[in-house]
Amino acid sequence: MGNRLQIKTEKTGQGKASTQSDSRIQNILENLFVVVLAFYPLRHINWGLDLWDTGYNYANFQYMGTDHMDPMWLFSTYLANVVGHFFSGLPNAGTLWGMNLYTGLLVSLLALTGFFFCTRVLKMPVWVAFLGEFLAVSLCWCPTALLYNYLTYVFVLICLIMLYHGLTKEKKWCLFGAGVCLGLNVLVRFSNLPEAALILAVWAYDVILWRETKKAGIQDRDKAGDLWARLGRHTLWCLLGYLAALTVLFLYIHMRYGFGSYVEGIQRLFSMTDTATDYKPTSMVLGMVMIYVEYLYWVGRIAAIIAAGLLLFVVTGWLEERLSGSKVIRVSNRAFRFGSSVLGVMIGAVTLGWFYRGHLTQLFSRGDAVNGVFSFASFLFYSYDSMLRPGILFLMLTMFIALVRIFHPHCPREEKLVSGMVLLVVLLTSIGSNNGVYPSLNNLFLAGPYTLWQCWNFIRNVGERRIWKIRLSAFPVKCVLTAFLAMCFFQFFLFGAVFVFAEGTGVQNANSYVENVPVLQGVRMSEDKARWMTELGQYIEDEELEGKDIILYGWIPSLSYYLQMPSAFNPWSDLDSYSVEQMALDLEETAEACKRDPEYRPVIIIEREYITYLAGGESALKDLLGLGEEHISKITQDRKWPLLLEFMKQQGYEWDFSNGKFTVFR
C-alpha cells in the first residue's frame, strides 16, 4: 500500500510539474505575442513618401483651425483632428517618422485590445487570436495618418467589447459606455452615423435570450423577463450614452467656434456629393454590394471544387462499406483511411494550384512567354493586387460563418452575439467611404481572430454525417478551407511586410533619403522623390520661405506639412469634394487679404502636369508625360484650375523655380 501510495504521489507530482511547465510556456508565448503585436504596426514608420493623404492629414493636425483648414473637414473629422493636433505637440512630432510613430500606436492599441478580448473573454486559443490580429495588422493598407479611420476603429472595438459585457452580464454602465463610443465616433467622422445600426446586435441578443428562456420553460420574471421591457431598458442606456457624448461635444464646439460654423461645415459636407458623386449613399452601398456580387463568380468556382471533393468521398465511403466486408475483394479500413487522406491532400493541392495557376504555368513553361494566364493571387506585394481578391473572399467567408452561427440552433447565445457584431462591423465599416470594401479589409481586429477561431473549431470538431443514408465527410471541405487559409496567410503577411501606401499604390525602390528637409530626415523614399524634395527643399531654404502661407495644386497636398508652410485655405484644393464655388470664395478672400497687406503673398506650388498642359496643351501631356486618357481628361476639364490661373494673373505671380515635379510661382 505504501509503495502504491508513493507511486501515485509521484505521478501526481509529475502531473503538477507538467501543468506548471505548460502554463509557463503558455505565458511566455502570450508575452511574446503581445510584444510582436505592439511593435509590428510600427515596422514602416520611416519607409516611403506619400504626396497625397499622409502629409495632408498631418498638415491639418499641425495647422488645425479655421485659419488654414477647410471648415468642412475640420468639423466633419473634428475629434480626429483634435487627437492629431495633440500628437503634433509631442517630442519628435516635427518629423514624418515621429508622427507615423504616434499614429501607428493606435494600430498597436487595436491589435492588443482585440487580442486580450479574444483570449480573456471569448477564450480563444492564444495562437489563434495572435494569428488573427497579425493578419488584421498586415491588411492595414491605409496610412495611419488617417486618424478618422483608425480612431473610428478604436471606438467601434471598445463599443463592441462594452456591448458584449453589458448584454451578457447585464451591466448598465457598459451599455451606456457603448453609446458614448458611438456618439464620439460621429465627431471622429460624421459619416460614422450608420454605426448606430449596431443597436441591432442589442435587439437581436434580447430576442434570442427571451426565446431561449421561454423555450426552457422559465417562468420566473427576473430570469425570463419581459421582451419589450428588456429591449427598452437596453436601448435607453445605449441612447443615453450616445446623446450624452454628442451633447458634451456639441456644447464645446459651440463655445469654441459657434454652432453655426459647425452646421455650415456639415451642410457643405452633404452638398459635396454634387461633384464627388462616389460619396453619395447609394453609390457607396451599391459599390460595396456589387463587389460582393461580382466575387460570387469565385465563390462558385470554389464551391464546385468542394462539391467534386464531396462526391469523391461519397464514392470512397460507399466503396469502403462494400469492400471492407466483401469476401471477394477485401480492403482494410486503414487502407481506406490512408487513401482518403491522400485524396484530401490532393484536393487541397488542386485548390492551391488553381489559386496560383498563372504563376505555376509560367514556372513550368521554361521561360516561354505565357499570355492570358491569370492567377487569382498576385505576387506584386507592393500593390493591392496581392491581397484584394483573397481579402474579399475572406470577408465573404467571415460573413458566411457569422450567418451560419447566428442561425445555428445549438450555438451559444454569447457566440451568436459576437457573430452578429462581426457581421455588422464588416458591413458598416465600408459605409461612409468611397473606397468600396477596402475599409472593411482595414478593420479586421475582431473579424480576423473570429474567422480563424471558427475555422479551427470546424476543422477540429466536424466529422462525418449521414444524410438519407449517404455518408458525407467534411474532410474535403476542410482541405479546401485549409488551402484557402494557407493562401490568405501567405498573401496577407507578405503584403503587410512589403506594402506601404504612396499616392494610392505602393512604395517601390525606397533606397534614398532627403537631408535638407528636416521633416523628412531619416525617411526612405524613391530616388526620384528624394531628388525632387531635395531640390525644392533647397529652394525653400535659400529663399527663407518656411512658415509662409502656401497654395498647392495638382495632387501634392503633403507639401504643406513636409515644407512646414501652412495652407492659405485648403492644402488639397484640387480634390473633388472641395467644390469650385468654395474655391472661388477662398481665392476671393485671399485676394482681399493681399490687398489689406501688400507683403502678404502665398507661395504657389503647382504639380508639373498642369504646367505642361498650360505650356503645350493636351498633346504635351501625351508626349511628355505619357498619361492615360482618363488622367488627361481630368486635367483638361478641370474647372478649378482656370480660377487659380486667373488669381495668379490678377496678383502678378511669376515663375520662380521648377524641377521635374514641382513649379513655384511667387
Side-chain angles (χ1 to χ4, degrees):
M1 176 70 70
N3 292 335
R4 291 179 184 175
L5 181 60
Q6 184 178 0
I7 293 172
K8 184 176 181 181
T9 304
E10 289 176 355
K11 288 183 177 180
T12 303
Q14 291 174 357
K16 288 181 178 179
S18 176
T19 302
Q20 291 175 353
S21 177
D22 291 342
S23 177
R24 191 179 301 112
I25 293 173
Q26 182 86 354
N27 288 336
I28 292 174
L29 276 178
E30 184 172 356
N31 291 333
L32 176 62
F33 292 158
V34 168
V35 172
V36 172
L37 292 177
F39 288 98
Y40 178 58
L42 309 178
R43 64 198 180 281
H44 291 148
I45 60 173
N46 69 330
W47 195 0
L49 185 74
D50 170 38
L51 296 175
W52 291 5
D53 296 86
T54 302
Y56 168 67
N57 282 275
Y58 289 159
N60 285 337
F61 299 159
Q62 183 170 358
Y63 306 117
M64 179 186 172
T66 55
D67 291 338
H68 301 290
M69 278 189 71
D70 185 345
M72 179 178 72
W73 291 118
L74 170 65
F75 294 121
S76 62
T77 57
Y78 183 71
L79 277 184
N81 294 317
V82 169
V83 174
H85 186 67
F86 169 76
F87 286 161
S88 67
L90 297 177
N92 293 319
T95 61
L96 179 59
W97 70 264
M99 284 299 292
N100 285 342
L101 169 65
Y102 294 129
T103 56
L105 289 174
L106 282 182
V107 184
S108 301
L109 175 63
L110 282 162
L112 291 174
T113 303
F115 176 77
F116 285 121
F117 175 66
C118 290
T119 54
R120 298 288 197 273
V121 180
L122 301 184
K123 304 301 181 183
M124 291 185 191
V126 172
W127 65 272
V128 171
F130 169 73
L131 285 178
E133 296 300 338
F134 198 87
L135 178 151
V137 176
S138 296
L139 284 178
C140 286
W141 58 270
C142 179
T144 56
L146 276 67
L147 284 184
Y148 55 78
N149 281 335
Y150 289 100
L151 204 58
T152 291
Y153 305 154
V154 168
F155 283 128
V156 166
L157 184 57
I158 296 174
C159 169
L160 297 178
I161 294 172
M162 287 190 166
L163 279 181
Y164 184 88
H165 285 294
L167 292 172
T168 58
K169 298 180 181 180
E170 279 293 329
K171 292 185 176 180
K172 299 175 182 178
W173 68 269
C174 284
L175 295 175
F176 181 85
V180 169
C181 288
L182 292 188
L184 292 174
N185 251 351
V186 176
L187 271 296
V188 170
R189 184 178 61 185
F190 191 78
S191 56
N192 287 336
L193 276 172
E195 290 173 0
L198 285 173
I199 195 66
L200 293 174
V202 177
W203 298 343
Y205 181 82
D206 285 341
V207 171
I208 291 170
L209 178 61
W210 175 74
R211 288 186 53 147
E212 286 185 359
T213 53
K214 187 177 180 181
K215 186 177 180 179
I218 299 176
Q219 301 299 323
D220 187 349
R221 185 178 181 85
D222 292 333
K223 293 182 178 180
D226 179 72
L227 173 62
W228 296 108
R230 183 185 296 273
L231 281 172
R233 183 171 66 252
H234 289 168
T235 303
L236 180 61
W237 280 111
C238 291
L239 183 61
L240 285 176
Y242 191 81
L243 294 177
L246 289 179
T247 300
V248 171
L249 289 173
F250 283 153
L251 284 174
Y252 173 78
I253 290 174
H254 173 66
M255 290 185 292
R256 178 76 184 272
Y257 302 99
F259 197 69
S261 299
Y262 177 83
V263 172
E264 182 181 350
I266 298 302
Q267 285 177 340
R268 280 188 50 214
L269 183 70
F270 282 105
S271 65
M272 80 175 185
T273 55
D274 296 336
T275 52
T277 56
D278 50 349
Y279 276 102
K280 288 185 177 181
T282 53
S283 298
M284 290 187 290
V285 174
L286 284 176
M288 176 182 65
V289 171
M290 292 309 297
I291 289 176
Y292 290 130
V293 172
E294 176 186 346
Y295 272 74
L296 288 176
Y297 169 87
W298 302 106
V299 174
R301 296 303 183 271
I302 296 175
I305 296 176
I306 293 175
L310 289 172
L311 181 59
L312 285 173
F313 270 75
V314 167
V315 173
T316 303
W318 180 83
L319 288 174
E320 181 182 357
E321 292 178 350
R322 295 296 183 273
L323 298 180
S324 60
S326 173
K327 296 180 180 180
V328 180
I329 302 176
R330 179 169 295 179
V331 182
S332 67
N333 289 337
R334 180 179 297 178
F336 268 106
R337 292 193 200 99
F338 177 77
S340 298
S341 300
V342 172
L343 183 60
V345 171
M346 290 176 62
I347 292 171
V350 168
T351 305
L352 275 178
W354 178 69
F355 287 137
Y356 293 105
R357 65 187 184 275
H359 300 297
L360 293 174
T361 303
Q362 291 180 341
L363 179 65
F364 293 108
S365 64
R366 298 182 180 180
D368 297 333
V370 180
N371 296 320
V373 180
F374 172 79
S375 275
F376 178 80
S378 169
F379 285 167
L380 301 177
F381 295 106
Y382 60 83
S383 74
Y384 299 115
D385 290 342
S386 59
M387 68 83 176
L388 184 58
R389 296 186 191 94
I392 292 174
L393 284 189
F394 189 86
L395 290 177
M396 297 176 78
L397 174 65
T398 299
M399 292 187 287
F400 173 75
I401 292 173
L403 286 171
V404 169
R405 299 307 292 167
I406 289 171
F407 292 103
H408 195 289
H410 303 299
C411 180
R413 60 174 176 264
E414 293 83 4
E415 190 176 327
K416 289 186 177 184
L417 173 61
V418 174
S419 301
M421 292 192 299
V422 166
L423 180 63
L424 286 170
V425 168
V426 170
L427 293 174
L428 291 174
T429 301
S430 291
I431 298 177
S433 168
N434 63 339
N435 291 319
V437 299
Y438 279 89
S440 295
L441 290 170
N442 210 93
N443 184 24
L444 293 177
F445 298 97
L446 180 58
Y450 168 85
T451 304
L452 298 185
W453 179 41
Q454 295 294 346
C455 290
W456 169 244
N457 288 337
F458 173 80
I459 292 172
R460 186 179 56 173
N461 298 324
V462 178
E464 291 184 347
R465 292 187 180 181
R466 286 188 176 271
I467 300 177
W468 301 317
K469 298 183 179 181
I470 298 176
R471 182 176 162 186
L472 283 178
S473 172
F475 193 63
V477 183
K478 295 178 182 180
C479 292
V480 173
L481 179 60
T482 302
F484 173 73
L485 292 177
M487 183 266 297
C488 286
F489 286 147
F490 180 76
Q491 296 296 132
F492 297 163
F493 294 160
L494 284 180
F495 172 81
V498 174
F499 180 86
V500 178
F501 181 94
E503 290 89 59
T505 55
V507 172
Q508 297 184 63
N509 303 319
N511 51 16
S512 300
Y513 297 87
V514 174
E515 300 296 338
N516 61 341
V517 180
V519 172
L520 301 180
Q521 287 188 356
V523 177
R524 297 169 53 186
M525 64 192 77
S526 68
E527 185 178 348
D528 286 340
K529 286 184 176 178
R531 184 176 65 256
W532 297 333
M533 292 305 302
T534 297
E535 294 169 349
L536 181 61
Q538 190 62 52
Y539 168 80
I540 297 298
E541 181 181 350
D542 292 342
E543 299 296 321
E544 299 181 350
L545 298 178
E546 183 175 327
K548 293 186 177 296
D549 283 8
I550 193 173
I551 297 175
L552 300 168
Y553 205 82
W555 290 69
I556 50 174
S558 289
L559 293 185
S560 175
Y561 174 69
Y562 298 156
L563 301 177
Q564 293 293 283
M565 301 175 70
S567 174
F569 40 84
N570 185 335
W572 207 336
S573 52
D574 46 320
L575 200 62
D576 288 341
S577 55
Y578 181 61
S579 68
V580 177
E581 294 76 14
Q582 187 60 42
M583 183 169 178
L585 289 174
D586 289 337
L587 285 173
E588 185 178 338
E589 291 180 3
T590 305
E592 290 296 326
C594 292
K595 287 181 181 179
R596 291 193 300 269
D597 183 2
E599 298 296 324
Y600 179 73
R601 285 292 185 278
V603 179
I604 297 179
I605 303 180
I606 299 171
E607 211 276 339
R608 177 193 174 197
E609 295 171 3
Y610 284 85
I611 300 302
T612 303
Y613 170 60
L614 182 65
E618 187 173 332
S619 60
L621 288 174
K622 292 181 179 179
D623 296 339
L624 296 180
L625 301 174
L627 298 177
E629 292 294 334
E630 183 178 352
H631 198 154
I632 291 174
S633 176
K634 187 169 186 177
I635 294 175
T636 57
Q637 298 179 19
D638 191 341
R639 296 168 56 201
K640 287 183 284 189
W641 172 233
L643 296 178
L644 183 56
L645 286 177
E646 182 63 24
F647 171 82
M648 293 165 61
K649 181 179 178 181
Q650 291 179 356
Q651 299 300 321
Y653 277 83
E654 295 180 353
W655 170 90
D656 200 50
F657 169 83
S658 183
N659 64 7
K661 183 67 174 179
F662 313 112
T663 300
V664 180
F665 288 86
R666 295 175 64 190

